[in-house]
Amino acid sequence: MRSKIFDDADLERLRREAIPSLNESAMARDTAPHATDQHLHVEAAMDLPVVVDSNDDEIVSHELEQMRSILDEAILETRSTPLENRPRLPRIPLSKRNRAVVRALNPMLVTYLEASRDLCETDSILFGAAVAVCRIIVAKIPMAGRATTQSSAIPAWRKRIEDRIVKARALIGRLTSFRSGNNKPRIVRTVRMAFAATNISLSQPDITQKLTERIDELKQKIAAWGKRIRRFTQRSRRFNQNRLFQSDQKRLYKSLERPKVCGAGQGPDQVDIIAFWRGLWSEPVNHS
């Protein structure tokens, strides 16, 4: 088609030979002019031209019956799956082939959407259609239930800082081992890499002092990174608590509750309780 080898008549003949049911659908259109809109949409989808993907040279012909079976299976699975166990759908690339798949599946949803009874069922139909698109274009779908565990995962910034701390501690161990007299080739190679950006040579007489200074510097960095993690964690927790206070105060107070501790001994005396609280509340205090 790109090289213009065949004219329009030859392309139409080849298309009809590849899809024999196209002639029957054309005859059905002529004999039944008052067919439903859904059938017209399906026939229009069957009349889609052969699409060439922009990334490869392979010509793909969409098989509508197979796509319909995949759609039916995906919608059936979505209806029987709880909302919290649905997989996290990936972002599909915008290629010609993917757009053609979506255009072919859109008219197939008319029957499902017309029979939908409420918004939850409509949501299941649309999500099932999205899953069917991912399966047709062979997109990788994560395992079910990942969306529920995503919020409890370690943040990316904390993972990066923790990786720096692990590498710094490993380097401190190598430097300490070399300072103690370990001259294995792997240890010596690591020490040379640690001083690669400086003018320090391992044959210098004050190499022990340089090693001590380098170890102290790494320890200070580890301490600073640890404080940064604690500071960022407190800031993130404070931000989430402030946002939760504005949206759902009951949920915030419930998260701040401590587990109940049942004492084995007797409770305090009523007289002591009254005396304690009278000392706090009976005296007037002027606040600004």
Side-chain angles (χ1 to χ4, degrees), residues 23-216:
N23 297 325
E24 299 177 1
S25 62
M27 295 175 61
R29 282 200 304 266
D30 296 337
T31 55
H34 299 288
T36 60
D37 295 339
Q38 203 277 338
H39 290 160
L40 294 178
H41 287 309
V42 173
E43 291 171 359
M46 292 179 63
D47 223 353
L48 281 173
V50 178
V51 179
V52 181
D53 195 350
S54 58
N55 298 325
D56 52 21
D57 297 331
E58 183 180 0
I59 298 179
V60 181
S61 178
H62 301 292
E63 300 177 358
L64 294 181
E65 294 300 328
Q66 184 178 2
M67 292 169 59
R68 182 181 293 276
S69 63
I70 295 176
L71 178 63
D72 294 340
E73 182 181 357
I75 293 178
L76 185 61
E77 291 179 2
T78 305
R79 285 177 175 175
S80 59
T81 303
L83 184 63
E84 60 273 8
N85 293 336
R86 289 183 181 179
R88 188 181 183 90
L89 298 180
R91 186 186 297 271
I92 62 176
L94 294 178
S95 62
K96 292 183 179 179
R97 176 176 176 271
N98 296 346
R99 291 179 179 177
V101 171
V102 174
R103 285 198 303 268
L105 284 180
N106 280 337
M108 298 182 186
L109 297 177
V110 175
T111 305
Y112 298 98
L113 295 176
E114 288 180 350
S116 177
R117 293 167 297 182
D118 53 10
L119 186 59
C120 295
E121 189 173 355
T122 302
D123 175 72
S124 300
I125 294 172
L126 296 178
F127 191 87
V131 173
V133 171
C134 294
R135 292 179 180 177
I136 293 172
I137 67 176
V138 198
K140 186 176 181 181
I141 302 178
M143 296 178 59
R146 184 177 178 180
T148 58
T149 60
Q150 188 71 20
S151 58
S152 61
I154 300 177
W157 59 266
R158 181 168 181 173
K159 188 70 170 59
R160 289 193 298 267
I161 297 177
E162 290 179 351
D163 292 341
R164 294 177 191 173
I165 293 176
V166 171
K167 292 180 180 179
R169 287 176 176 172
L171 183 56
I172 289 175
R174 298 287 180 88
L175 295 178
T176 305
S177 179
F178 180 79
R179 188 178 59 180
S180 301
N182 189 351
N183 294 326
K184 291 183 178 181
R186 185 176 59 181
I187 302 297
V188 174
R189 183 169 59 251
T190 304
V191 175
R192 286 178 179 174
M193 292 176 60
F195 293 104
T198 62
N199 295 326
I200 300 175
S201 176
L202 301 184
S203 59
Q204 292 182 1
D206 58 344
I207 187 61
T208 304
Q209 181 181 357
K210 299 296 183 183
L211 288 171
T212 304
E213 294 176 356
R214 180 63 172 167
I215 292 172
D216 293 340

Side-chain angles (χ1 to χ4, degrees), residues 204-268:
Q204 292 182 1
D206 58 344
I207 187 61
T208 304
Q209 181 181 357
K210 299 296 183 183
L211 288 171
T212 304
E213 294 176 356
R214 180 63 172 167
I215 292 172
D216 293 340
E217 180 184 356
L218 291 174
K219 289 182 179 179
Q220 293 175 10
K221 285 186 177 181
I222 291 175
W225 288 333
K227 291 181 180 179
R228 184 180 301 177
I229 289 178
R230 289 191 294 269
R231 186 172 67 252
F232 285 178
T233 303
Q234 293 176 0
R235 179 183 177 185
S236 177
R237 182 171 62 250
R238 183 167 60 250
F239 174 79
N240 292 332
Q241 289 178 352
N242 292 336
R243 185 174 57 180
L244 189 60
F245 179 79
Q246 297 177 359
S247 60
D248 192 353
Q249 296 183 11
K250 180 180 178 181
R251 184 180 173 187
L252 171 64
Y253 294 138
K254 190 174 182 179
S255 65
L256 296 177
E257 288 180 355
R258 296 181 180 179
K260 295 182 179 179
V261 179
C262 297
Q266 298 180 355

